[in-house]
């Protein structure tokens, strides 16, 4: 199977609304607790990794979450739903403006800042994570999807646990 | 209304190791005593990897309890450790997590400087300026300096102690636990990632959780469902003679596949029909060749070495007051890992850490105890599985290693 790529004829600027929409849909799916929809934002062969700026800068390969297939993302959701125990909580993603960084290996590269507020069962809220999404986007199955989404958190400290994906 | 709290008279309420008073997780004075008697006492604490301080001048900063420490390799290639506190006014000498100090450290406050052994070697304007001021002639730099720590290395790990009384590291660990460290760390190490998890509980609740072989397959459904560890599997727990350290392990046993013990007891962690869409997560290799799929090892007071299938990590417990702590995770591989083994370690790292399929619950369960027992300082926690002793047992349905912790704790604290 050929690697899905972007149609070369499309000028980058015209992709911006599609990237906005993708980021908005992604954040809504997580924040609305429709986690089952989350894996579909990714290509079937994909990389999703949550790491930190310090780890990223030093070239450390491990993440606190690491998936290299859409199946692994589905398993993450299944584990949260069926196996893992954690206090009820939710996120509010505030996703900033994507910067389109050009094309590489047939994918559109984008960088987008984010801020995630965590809302706990008892109503307490805190800034849980800030950082940037480093994305590679491809057209697969007629939709723009993440071939790679590196979630580079500004801090390497995580409060209590990271259950819901960022 | 009487609002004055009676100060605690530090008395342990019972002789048995199978009961623990809840005030031990709450009391501020007890916490301060722990820092002095345990973390700064005759114990060895993990401080960094040898790989972090490979060349002369390489240093790393860390904590022994709340004691800030610099670990550095000196010009002669020896590892040195000293308090990260300027002898002048007490400011931190090194501010970063690590780096290269070239030939000396200099405090930013008044530019006092230290060699790589932690000796005070330079005082700015020591002779004053234009014949006035300066330090008195009687001031002897050699008499002033941050406190020095002893260091010891084991399989690429660096340990340190502030105490002259701590026995040599290998003697401290004992032969059995020592062998269990060597079993895992057999080649030069490489860091794959570093993360900090902030836990809302007393540091001892986390250490007990790690030593508690009883909880693992009950709390962690992921473990049980995929047969990574179940109490009906083979395995056991090794407890050092003094109770302080432990290693628990599981061996896959063919007859466990048919066991219904979990389902018969209605235990939550048994989910029939739970299958992974991408089972490559659990495709592990018996790289040590002894059939042990999982080994969790602790060194008193706050070090954990983890082998969960092919996921290797060290965890360092850093207390922050009675009700909070940090867990410093270092994910590891070996420097000569094949690309396949590296990818396997990255995938299996999903099992551990702040977002770990099996570790995320450990991040919150200590907080549940801290909150649940907040008003129960004089009540007693029950640690009775497998009896009252702290000896090694060929089962994990026991709390022997948790009792071992309390045996060592009470000895250090004088309880």
């Amino acid at each position: 199977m050929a690697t899905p790529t972007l149609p070369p004829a499309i000028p980058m600027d015209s992709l911006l609304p599609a990237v906005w929409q993708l980021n908005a849909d992604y954040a809504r799916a997580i924040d609305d607790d429709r986690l089952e929809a989350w894996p579909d934002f990714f290509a079937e062969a994909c990389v999703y990794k949550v790491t930190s700026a310090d780890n990223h800068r030093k070239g450390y390969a491990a993440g606190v979450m690491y998936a290299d297939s859409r199946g692994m993302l589905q398993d993450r959701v299944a584990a949260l739903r069926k196996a893992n125990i954690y206090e009820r909580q939710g996120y509010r993603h505030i996703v900033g403006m994507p910067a389109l960084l050009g094309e590489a290996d047939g994918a559109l590269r984008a960088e987008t800042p984010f801020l995630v507020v965590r809302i706990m069962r008892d109503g307490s809220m805190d800034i849980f994570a800030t950082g940037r999404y480093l994305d590679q986007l491809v057209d697969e199955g007629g939709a723009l999807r993440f071939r790679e989404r590196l979630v580079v958190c500004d801090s390497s400290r995580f409060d209590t646990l990271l259950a819901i994906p960022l | 209304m009487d609002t004055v709290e009676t100060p605690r008279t530090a008395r342990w309420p019972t002789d048995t190791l199978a009961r623990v008073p809840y005030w031990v997780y709450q009391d501020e004075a007890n916490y301060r005593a722990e820092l002095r008697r345990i973390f700064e006492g005759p114990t060895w604490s993990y401080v960094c990897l040898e790989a972090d301080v490979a060349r002369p001048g390489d240093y790393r900063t860390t904590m022994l309890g709340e004691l800030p420490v610099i670990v550095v390799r000196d010009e002669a290639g020896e590892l040195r450790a000293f308090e990260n506190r300027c002898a002048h006014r007490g400011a931190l000498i090194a501010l970063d997590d690590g780096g290269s100090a070239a030939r000396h450290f200099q405090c930013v406050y008044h530019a006092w400087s230290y060699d790589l052994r932690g000796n005070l070697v330079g005082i700015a304007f020591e002779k004053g300026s234009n014949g006035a001021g300066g330090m008195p002639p009687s001031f002897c730099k050699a008499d002033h300096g941050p406190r020095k720590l002893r260091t010891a290395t084991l399989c690429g790990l660096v340990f340190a102690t502030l105490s002259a009384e701590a026995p040599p590291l290998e003697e401290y660990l004992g032969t059995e636990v020592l062998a269990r460290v060597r079993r895992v760390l057999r080649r030069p190490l490489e860091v794959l990632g570093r993360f900090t998890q902030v836990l809302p509980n007393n540091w001892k609740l986390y250490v007990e959780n790690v030593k508690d072989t009883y909880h693992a397959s009950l709390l962690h459904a992921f473990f049980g469902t995929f047969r990574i560890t179940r109490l009906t599997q083979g395995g056991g727990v090794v407890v050092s003679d003094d109770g302080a350290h432990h290693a628990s392990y599981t061996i896959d046993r063919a007859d466990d596949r048919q066991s219904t013990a979990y389902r018969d007891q209605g235990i939550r962690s048994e989910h029939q029909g739970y299958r992974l869409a991408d089972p490559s997560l659990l495709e592990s290799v018996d790289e040590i060749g002894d059939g042990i799929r999982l080994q969790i090892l602790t060194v008193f007071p706050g070090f954990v070495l983890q082998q969960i299938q092919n996921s290797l990590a060290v965890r360092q417990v850093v207390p922050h007051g009675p009700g909070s702590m940090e867990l410093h995770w270092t994910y590891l591989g070996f420097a000569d890992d094949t690309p396949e083994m590296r990818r396997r370690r990255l995938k299996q790292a999903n099992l551990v850490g702040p977002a770990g399929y099996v570790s995320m619950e450990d991040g919150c369960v200590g907080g549940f105890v801290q909150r649940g027992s907040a008003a129960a300082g004089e009540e007693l926690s029950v640690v009775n599985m497998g009896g009252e002793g702290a000896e090694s047992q060929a089962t994990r349905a026991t709390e022997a290693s948790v009792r071992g912790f309390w045996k060592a704790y009470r000895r250090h604290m004088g309880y």
Side-chain angles (χ1 to χ4, degrees):
Chain A
M1 193 179 89
T3 311
T5 59
L6 285 175
I10 300 179
M12 212 164 68
D13 284 357
S14 69
L15 288 167
L16 198 51
V19 177
W20 285 339
Q21 190 67 47
L22 177 64
N23 277 332
D25 291 345
Y26 179 99
R28 287 184 71 231
I30 294 173
D31 295 356
D32 293 350
D33 194 27
R34 289 181 287 107
L35 296 181
E36 284 71 12
W38 172 66
D40 292 333
F41 294 107
F42 292 82
E44 196 167 327
C46 61
V47 170
Y48 172 78
K49 181 163 85 172
V50 178
T51 184
S52 74
D54 196 43
N55 280 276
H56 187 67
R57 189 168 44 245
K58 289 176 173 145
Y60 292 156
V64 292
M65 288 189 192
Y66 177 90
D68 64 0
S69 71
R70 191 191 282 157
M72 284 186 78
L73 300 176
Q74 290 162 347
D75 290 334
R76 180 57 77 169
V77 175
L80 289 177
R81 296 294 196 212
K82 294 177 190 169
N84 288 122
I85 299 300
Y86 53 98
E87 279 186 279
R88 189 154 48 80
Q89 54 191 271
Y91 291 165
R92 177 64 59 203
H93 278 74
I94 305 298
V95 180
M97 298 293 281
L100 302 189
L101 304 176
E103 205 182 320
D105 303 325
L108 174 67
R109 292 172 51 242
E111 177 176 330
T112 307
F114 67 85
L115 180 152
V116 172
V117 174
R118 183 181 59 179
I119 306 96
M120 296 300 291
R121 179 185 59 83
D122 65 358
S124 61
M125 298 191 287
D126 57 292
I127 294 177
F128 184 59
T130 66
R132 59 208 159 107
Y133 294 121
L134 302 183
D135 297 329
Q136 292 180 23
L137 297 150
V138 292
D139 184 328
E140 187 179 282
L144 204 57
R145 296 182 206 272
F146 299 109
R147 187 170 76 186
E148 180 172 289
R149 168 155 269 197
L150 301 184
V151 185
V152 181
C153 297
D154 293 323
S155 168
S156 296
R157 288 163 58 99
F158 292 87
D159 182 65
T160 311
L161 54 77
L162 174 71
I164 304 166
L166 290 170
Chain B
M1 199 177 93
D2 183 10
T3 56
V4 180
E5 272 204 40
T6 312
R8 173 170 310 287
T9 53
R11 279 215 318 269
W12 203 259
T14 170
D15 284 336
T16 176
L17 295 173
R19 295 290 183 276
V20 178
Y22 288 109
W23 58 255
V24 82
Y25 308 112
Q26 304 161 350
D27 188 77
E28 181 74 34
N30 182 69
Y31 172 72
R32 294 283 145 204
E34 288 171 349
L35 297 178
R36 301 291 97 75
R37 287 169 171 263
I38 295 176
F39 288 94
E40 298 160 30
T43 61
W44 286 96
S45 291
Y46 165 82
V47 285
C48 65
L49 302 173
E50 278 193 89
D52 294 327
V53 285
R55 292 156 307 181
D58 286 356
Y59 75 94
R60 187 142 180 100
T61 60
T62 186
M63 306 291 285
L64 253 73
E66 295 199 8
L67 173 80
V69 170
I70 297 173
V71 186
V72 60
R73 194 172 292 277
D74 72 14
E75 292 91 338
E78 294 294 313
L79 280 174
R80 306 286 176 174
F82 53 91
E83 191 176 13
N84 188 2
R85 173 185 61 88
C86 182
H88 179 213
R89 300 304 309 276
L92 290 170
I93 297 168
L95 303 176
D96 288 333
D97 291 341
S100 180
R103 304 193 66 79
H104 70 283
F105 292 93
Q106 190 173 64
C107 175
V108 296
Y109 199 174
H110 303 89
W112 287 31
S113 56
Y114 300 88
D115 68 16
L116 299 183
R117 298 172 173 214
N119 298 310
L120 174 61
V121 293
I123 294 178
F125 296 103
E126 185 174 5
K127 308 283 185 216
S129 173
N130 299 320
M135 293 296 282
S138 62
F139 186 83
C140 176
K141 289 198 285 290
D143 293 342
H144 295 266
R147 288 178 286 177
K148 291 174 181 168
L149 289 82
R150 296 160 61 201
T151 62
T153 60
L154 173 64
C155 300
L157 310 174
V158 183
F159 287 80
T161 179
L162 189 61
S163 165
E165 280 79 51
L169 177 62
E170 298 190 359
E171 187 184 316
Y172 179 74
L173 296 175
T175 50
E176 281 194 292
V177 171
L178 185 60
R180 295 269 165 180
V181 175
R182 291 189 169 133
R183 176 189 161 268
V184 178
L185 302 179
R186 298 164 358 141
R187 305 205 300 280
L189 296 170
E190 184 175 334
V191 174
L192 300 185
R194 278 201 161 95
F195 299 98
T196 296
Q197 192 175 6
V198 183
L199 304 187
N201 55 260
N202 185 272
W203 68 274
K204 298 187 293 299
L205 287 170
Y206 182 76
V207 175
E208 286 184 279
N209 170 271
V210 176
K211 286 173 172 280
D212 171 5
T213 50
Y214 174 37
H215 89 283
S217 62
L218 301 171
L219 174 66
H220 306 306
F222 199 87
F223 255 157
T225 306
F226 295 99
R227 292 183 166 77
I228 299 172
T229 179
R230 294 153 57 98
L231 294 176
T232 48
Q233 280 177 312
V237 58
V238 171
V239 183
S240 64
D241 289 340
D242 60 357
H245 327 297
H246 100 293
S248 59
Y249 57 96
T250 68
I251 302 171
D252 208 10
R253 204 165 58 184
D255 61 353
D256 178 58
R257 308 271 166 182
Q258 277 76 48
S259 170
T260 59
Y262 280 75
R263 208 160 52 242
D264 296 346
Q265 297 183 68
I267 292 167
R268 178 188 53 79
S269 61
E270 173 94 342
H271 282 281
Q272 288 302 307
Y274 181 24
R275 296 289 176 266
L276 291 177
D278 185 345
S280 67
L281 177 76
L282 297 175
E283 282 166 8
S284 60
V285 169
D286 182 8
E287 59 181 314
I288 299 166
D290 57 6
I292 294 179
R293 294 163 62 87
L294 180 155
Q295 179 187 290
I296 304 289
L297 180 150
T298 59
V299 175
F300 189 88
F303 171 74
V304 183
L305 169 65
Q306 157 220 310
Q307 174 231 333
I308 297 177
Q309 301 197 352
N310 301 117
S311 167
L312 309 178
V314 293
R315 317 173 192 167
Q316 181 189 11
V317 171
V318 179
H320 271 295
S324 180
M325 60 162 277
E326 285 184 3
L327 192 57
H328 293 189
W329 291 84
T330 305
Y331 298 175
L332 297 172
F334 296 118
D336 61 356
D337 278 342
T338 62
E340 294 73 30
M341 182 57 82
R342 179 59 49 87
R343 176 165 284 230
R344 210 173 273 130
R345 297 199 204 285
L346 298 182
K347 287 191 181 204
Q348 293 179 13
N350 280 297
L351 297 169
V352 300
Y357 286 133
V358 294
S359 290
M360 82 167 77
E361 284 114 1
D362 296 322
C364 57
V365 74
F368 298 164
V369 175
Q370 195 82 28
R371 282 148 60 189
S373 60
E378 305 306 320
E379 302 290 320
L380 301 177
S381 170
V382 176
V383 192
N384 235 152
M385 286 295 284
E388 297 192 19
E391 62 286 342
S392 300
Q393 295 191 0
T395 174
R396 288 170 305 120
T398 177
E399 292 168 321
S401 54
V402 181
R403 288 188 290 274
F405 174 83
W406 291 110
K407 184 176 166 186
Y409 179 88
R410 287 167 61 174
R411 188 176 68 248
H412 283 284
M413 294 294 287
Y415 288 141

